[in-house]
Amino acid sequence: SYALQPRVYFMDHHPELVLFSPNFRALQTGLIVFEDLIGVGNANIPFLAHEMVREENGVHICDKRRPVSRQTTEFPQVDFGLLESDDDPLFREDVRETKLQVGERVYKFMEWLAQRQEKHVAVNSHSGWLLTVFNGICECDPALKEWFQTGEMRSVKLEFVISNSTA
């Protein structure tokens, strides 16, 4: 994570928005990576937790997010206002989320992201979630379809296409 700090610092275009999975491990890693952007000059870059950026979840307790009331004290740099409930609404102890359900969440997130005005957005998530993005939702270069390593960063340009076709 610390190895990525210089890469972020020397980017041609710093993110105008940094989005985080609200899971503890992603928040920890992301804040290390984007630490140099906290309070830089007049750039008040929002750091937002987003429920739809989470890893596939259910059954495994490591995929359950902590209550927002706890997270806000642990990670005061992150805005948790997009999370609708204090407790984890997605996690179920008895059922693992399906790949289709993860894909539906990713698609909802992409619809949300397409409405944003920021041009340079960093998304700090999990390898399984990113694999779903590039193998199930986006048309992309085959190199992006490969597994993401822990702490890996890739830059992509997203183009949102609105289909006007009628069936």
Side-chain angles (χ1 to χ4, degrees):
S1 301
Y2 288 105
L4 291 175
Q5 286 180 338
R7 188 167 171 196
V8 170
Y9 185 78
F10 290 110
M11 285 179 163
D12 289 338
H13 302 284
H14 283 138
E16 300 165 76
L17 172 66
V18 181
L19 299 167
F20 295 87
S21 159
N23 287 24
F24 183 80
R25 64 188 185 272
L27 288 162
Q28 279 185 313
T29 303
L31 285 172
I32 291 169
V33 171
F34 296 102
E35 179 179 55
D36 289 340
L37 299 182
I38 298 171
V40 172
N42 294 332
N44 190 12
I45 300 167
F47 281 28
L48 303 176
H50 199 295
E51 203 81 80
M52 298 296 115
V53 183
R54 292 176 56 183
E55 183 68 281
E56 174 183 342
N57 65 78
V59 180
H60 306 299
I61 197 71
C62 64
D63 294 328
K64 183 176 183 179
R65 77 160 164 80
R66 294 177 179 190
V68 172
S69 56
R70 182 173 175 186
Q71 301 260 56
T72 55
T73 59
E74 293 172 327
F75 303 103
Q77 311 90 326
V78 178
D79 180 345
F80 292 90
L82 294 175
L83 279 59
E84 296 179 4
S85 66
D86 190 47
D87 291 321
D88 189 339
L90 300 178
F91 186 82
R92 292 192 45 197
E93 293 180 7
D94 59 336
V95 177
R96 189 98 174 124
E97 198 175 23
T98 67
K99 300 292 185 205
L100 179 60
Q101 289 169 320
V102 176
E104 289 169 349
R105 264 196 304 111
V106 170
Y107 191 84
K108 286 179 192 175
F109 168 74
M110 290 297 183
E111 288 179 321
W112 177 86
L113 186 60
Q115 301 302 312
R116 299 290 300 193
Q117 57 187 339
E118 295 90 355
K119 299 279 185 209
H120 303 281
V121 178
V123 179
N124 187 76
S125 188
H126 310 268
S127 55
W129 187 86
L130 292 163
L131 210 60
T132 302
V133 168
F134 296 112
N135 284 276
I137 304 300
C138 296
E139 290 181 27
C140 61
D141 184 283
L144 288 171
K145 295 177 181 253
E146 296 174 8
W147 187 258
F148 281 70
Q149 300 301 315
T150 301
E152 181 179 355
M153 180 186 295
R154 297 181 192 173
S155 295
V156 299
K157 180 179 179 180
L158 292 176
E159 182 179 338
F160 297 101
V161 179
I162 311 240
S163 174
N164 291 334
S165 63
T166 55

